[in-house]
């Protein structure tokens, strides 16, 4: 009976979590503020406690989860109506670097040291911070970088060009399996696909790790390399 009781409570907690997450919105899954993070952990802990509780008191955890979810919804609504509330709840962006100056006060306020900042610069492709015009710490903890006009990549607009519009590539094969819906949407058939694979010397679809086709009908194949040892160039 205890096992059956736990199963029922687990299903009930999963259903309640699903409904509450829908009500709180997808922001819980993407750009979480500090309150969203703490609130999500708390609701998850209450749900786990509810699922494994062997006593007859399961109403209290359900009510607590609803209260936390309602608090998140109300605070989200309040922050959408008031800029001051938004800054209190979610915080505001902090300028870390601008025009060749590092603002140590904002570094201390954000609890970020210079080594972590330089690491984030390198991760985003800036090994020389003199190439940056500005660096901003966003409310969600990510750092946004604005390169100097002389260091940013050349764009077609700079060359007064108007290229054709682009579109996402179509995935035709994943893990050795044809994606029939994508293949049909691209206006191709399996006969065309197999002929393209033969140009790469591939006869079996099961040997393909990934195959894609772009808007310009460029077909690219990535076969499996299970037995191939990657070069050790990062040591």
């Amino acid at each position: 009976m205890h096992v059956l009781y736990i199963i029922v409570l687990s299903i009930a907690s999963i259903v309640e979590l699903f409904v509450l997450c829908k009500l709180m919105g997808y922001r819980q899954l993407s750009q979480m503020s500090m309150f969203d993070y703490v609130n999500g952990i708390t609701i998850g802990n209450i749900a786990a406690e509810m699922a494994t509780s062997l006593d007859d008191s399961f109403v209290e955890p359900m009510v607590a989860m609803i209260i936390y979810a309602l608090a998140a919804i109300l605070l989200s609504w309040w922050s959408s109506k008031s800029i001051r509330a938004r800054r209190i709840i979610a915080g505001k962006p902090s300028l870390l670097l601008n025009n060749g100056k590092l603002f140590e006060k904002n570094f201390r306020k954000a609890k970020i040291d210079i080594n972590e900042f330089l690491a984030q610069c390198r991760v985003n492709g800036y090994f020389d911070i003199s190439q940056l015009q500005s660096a901003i710490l966003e409310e969600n903890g990510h750092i946004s970088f604005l390169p100097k006009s002389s260091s940013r990549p050349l764009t077609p607009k700079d060359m007064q060009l108007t290229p054709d519009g682009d579109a996402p590539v179509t995935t035709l094969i994943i893990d050795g399996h044809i994606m029939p819906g994508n293949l049909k949407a691209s206006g191709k058939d399996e006969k065309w696909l197999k002929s393209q694979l033969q140009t790469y010397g591939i006869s079996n679809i099961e040997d393909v790790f990934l195959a894609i086709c772009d808007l310009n009908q460029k077909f690219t194949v990535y076969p499996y390399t299970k037995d191939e040892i990657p070069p050790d160039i990062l040591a």
Side-chain angles (χ1 to χ4, degrees):
M1 290 298 296
H2 287 323
V3 175
L4 181 61
Y5 187 71
I6 291 176
I7 292 175
V8 173
L9 286 182
S10 299
I11 295 175
S13 65
I14 291 173
V15 172
E16 186 175 8
L17 275 175
F18 179 80
V19 173
L20 293 179
C21 286
K22 285 289 187 181
L23 292 176
M24 289 186 291
Y26 288 101
R27 189 168 179 269
Q28 287 283 333
L29 304 177
S30 55
Q31 298 179 347
M32 294 192 300
S33 65
M34 185 179 296
F35 176 79
D36 294 329
Y37 178 73
V38 174
N39 193 51
I41 291 177
T42 304
I43 292 178
N45 287 336
I46 296 175
E49 181 68 22
M50 171 185 169
T52 57
S53 178
L54 295 179
D55 55 23
D56 296 330
S57 178
F58 64 90
V59 177
E60 290 85 350
M62 293 182 66
V63 173
M65 290 170 62
I66 294 174
I67 294 299
Y68 274 100
L70 288 177
I73 294 172
L74 289 175
L75 287 176
S76 178
W77 174 83
W78 185 31
S79 63
S80 67
K81 298 295 182 180
S82 171
I83 295 178
R84 180 176 296 180
R86 192 180 311 158
R87 290 180 175 178
I88 294 174
I89 298 170
K92 63 178 182 178
S94 298
L95 193 62
L96 302 178
L97 167 69
N98 188 52
N99 199 22
K101 294 181 180 180
L102 292 170
F103 297 96
E104 185 181 357
K105 181 179 179 180
N106 286 345
F107 273 85
R108 292 197 304 267
K109 184 179 179 181
K111 305 297 187 296
I112 296 178
D113 57 52
I114 190 65
N115 289 333
E116 183 178 356
F117 174 72
L118 292 175
Q120 288 296 323
C121 291
R122 292 192 295 269
V123 167
N124 286 271
Y126 299 105
F127 287 78
D128 183 1
I129 63 172
S130 64
Q131 298 176 347
L132 293 172
Q133 176 65 35
S134 302
I136 302 172
L137 178 66
E138 305 292 354
E139 301 98 321
N140 58 8
H142 295 289
I143 300 178
S144 301
F145 298 97
L146 175 65
K148 292 182 178 178
S149 57
S150 59
S151 299
R152 64 180 174 85
L154 188 66
T155 64
K157 184 178 180 180
D158 296 328
M159 303 178 65
Q160 298 181 351
L161 299 176
T162 54
D164 296 333
D166 206 351
V169 296
T170 303
T171 304
L172 302 181
I173 300 177
I174 296 180
D175 292 334
H177 297 281
I178 297 177
M179 311 300 291
N182 294 353
L183 188 62
K184 182 179 180 181
S186 65
K188 310 297 181 183
D189 54 21
E190 290 192 22
K191 182 178 179 180
W192 174 88
L193 182 60
K194 291 179 180 179
S195 66
Q196 294 295 316
L197 292 176
Q198 289 177 356
T199 61
Y200 284 84
I202 300 175
S203 57
N204 295 324
I205 295 177
E206 291 79 8
D207 297 332
V208 178
F209 186 30
L210 177 68
I212 58 178
C213 183
D214 64 9
L215 185 65
N216 298 320
Q217 307 303 315
K218 180 184 177 182
F219 183 76
T220 307
V221 176
Y222 299 90
Y224 278 108
T225 56
K226 296 179 179 179
D227 299 329
E228 184 176 345
I229 301 175
D232 190 8
I233 61 175
L234 300 178

